[in-house]
Amino acid sequence: MKMKPIIGLTTFLSEQSKYSTVSRNYVDSIYAAGGVPITIPIVEDKTDYSEYIDLIDGILFTGGNDIAPYYFGENPLKELHSMSSIRDEYELSLFRKAYEKNVPIFGICRGIQLINVALGGSLYQDIYSQIPGALGHSPTQTASDELYHSIQISKHTQLYDIFGEERIFTNSFHHQSVKQLGKNLVATAFSEDGIVEALESTEERFLLGVQWHPECMTKRHPMFLKLFSAFIQASLVHKQKEVSA
């Protein structure tokens, strides 16, 4: 019987804090790539998520709120948007457990930022006020599946292996980005204004983060499903190793 990897999706709290939920685009993209998506709820005051990590074969850190700047030693700029320390603690705890167990990790938008902060890196709290000459990265009244700006992908990287191209166009919906890289991370793609658009681990593990939203693109632009397929394949290998251990 063919095994399918179980993929955990992080969730966010609604404004009323009554729902711990996630966009269906993540669910559909994981399912289309051959994984079995499950959502991991935010449980307040819970710092040990080992039980959830033991259930899954890979974890996807989804988009959403700004990460509180005190996690990387800074005070907030006035341009900071919504933040949630509840979600920050929840995801940092999940990341630590997944990283320790070498579970494949994929981060999207906020997810790439969470990965970087969790490994000791920092963020630009607002690229428009902190990066001179920054181009557009958060268009309004633009469909989430519209190609928006180009990125340059470094050769001899996991991301290049996935796409097989040095330059592609992506969508874009963010005002923060990776600043100083965290431990054992390397930037693998940049927009034309120098903003980090992807990173991956320098170690022998699947740890990949992208700043754009590929889950919104997989139906209209199937090339972006390649990201999810690579993640699912790594999660399947992890599952097989766990079963045979």
Side-chain angles (χ1 to χ4, degrees):
M1 184 175 67
K2 185 178 179 180
M3 295 188 299
K4 289 187 176 183
I6 307 299
I7 305 299
L9 307 180
T10 62
T11 56
F12 69 92
L13 291 175
S14 65
E15 291 183 6
Q16 299 80 17
S17 297
K18 293 181 180 179
Y19 301 98
S20 184
T21 186
V22 70
S23 166
R24 183 169 176 175
N25 288 328
Y26 295 105
V27 174
D28 290 347
S29 295
I30 290 295
Y31 188 78
V36 178
I38 63 171
T39 57
I40 304 176
I42 297 175
V43 184
E44 292 185 49
D45 301 322
K46 183 175 177 61
T47 57
D48 185 357
Y49 282 85
S50 298
E51 301 94 335
Y52 290 100
I53 297 302
D54 290 342
L55 287 172
I56 62 176
D57 307 302
I59 186 166
L60 171 55
F61 289 92
T62 60
N65 315 74
D66 291 351
I67 296 172
Y70 51 75
Y71 287 107
F72 47 95
E74 295 183 9
N75 283 307
L77 300 182
K78 63 180 184 300
E79 292 85 1
L80 196 71
H81 292 180
S82 68
M83 52 183 248
S84 168
S85 61
I86 295 173
R87 183 178 182 185
D88 290 342
E89 290 293 341
Y90 148 76
E91 290 192 335
L92 288 168
S93 182
L94 280 171
F95 180 88
R96 286 190 289 268
K97 293 297 180 182
Y99 194 81
E100 289 170 6
K101 197 177 176 183
N102 204 20
V103 171
I105 296 170
F106 185 23
I108 291 176
C109 199
R110 170 191 160 92
I112 185 179
Q113 298 164 12
L114 186 284
I115 289 170
N116 193 55
V117 171
L119 291 175
S122 63
L123 303 177
Y124 288 107
Q125 294 184 46
D126 180 70
I127 58 179
Y128 300 115
S129 61
Q130 292 184 284
I131 302 178
L135 301 174
H137 287 271
S138 53
T140 58
Q141 299 179 338
T142 299
S144 61
D145 60 358
E146 285 288 346
L147 297 174
Y148 188 61
H149 67 66
S150 65
I151 65 169
Q152 196 73 24
I153 300 174
S154 301
K155 278 192 168 184
H156 312 297
T157 62
Q158 192 170 42
L159 194 67
Y160 180 81
D161 291 342
I162 290 171
F163 286 110
E165 298 182 52
E166 290 185 72
R167 187 172 185 261
I168 64 172
F169 277 80
T170 70
N171 60 2
S172 185
F173 298 96
H174 66 103
H175 82 110
Q176 297 194 313
S177 69
V178 169
K179 189 178 181 181
Q180 181 179 348
L181 285 168
K183 184 179 179 182
N184 298 325
L185 294 175
V186 59
T188 58
F190 298 86
S191 53
E192 291 191 17
D193 51 6
I195 289 173
V196 174
E197 291 285 339
L199 56 72
E200 58 192 59
S201 178
T202 59
E203 301 177 306
E204 290 296 322
R205 63 167 72 231
F206 187 97
L207 191 158
L208 177 64
V210 299
Q211 187 57 73
W212 69 93
H213 280 273
E215 81 285 357
C216 298
M217 311 279 279
T218 53
K219 293 177 182 178
R220 185 177 174 188
H221 304 280
M223 65 176 286
F224 289 100
L225 192 62
K226 293 178 181 179
L227 280 167
F228 294 90
S229 297
F231 173 48
I232 296 304
Q233 180 58 38
S235 300
L236 178 59
V237 170
H238 176 77
K239 183 182 187 75
Q240 292 169 339
K241 288 180 179 178
E242 289 292 299
V243 169
S244 60

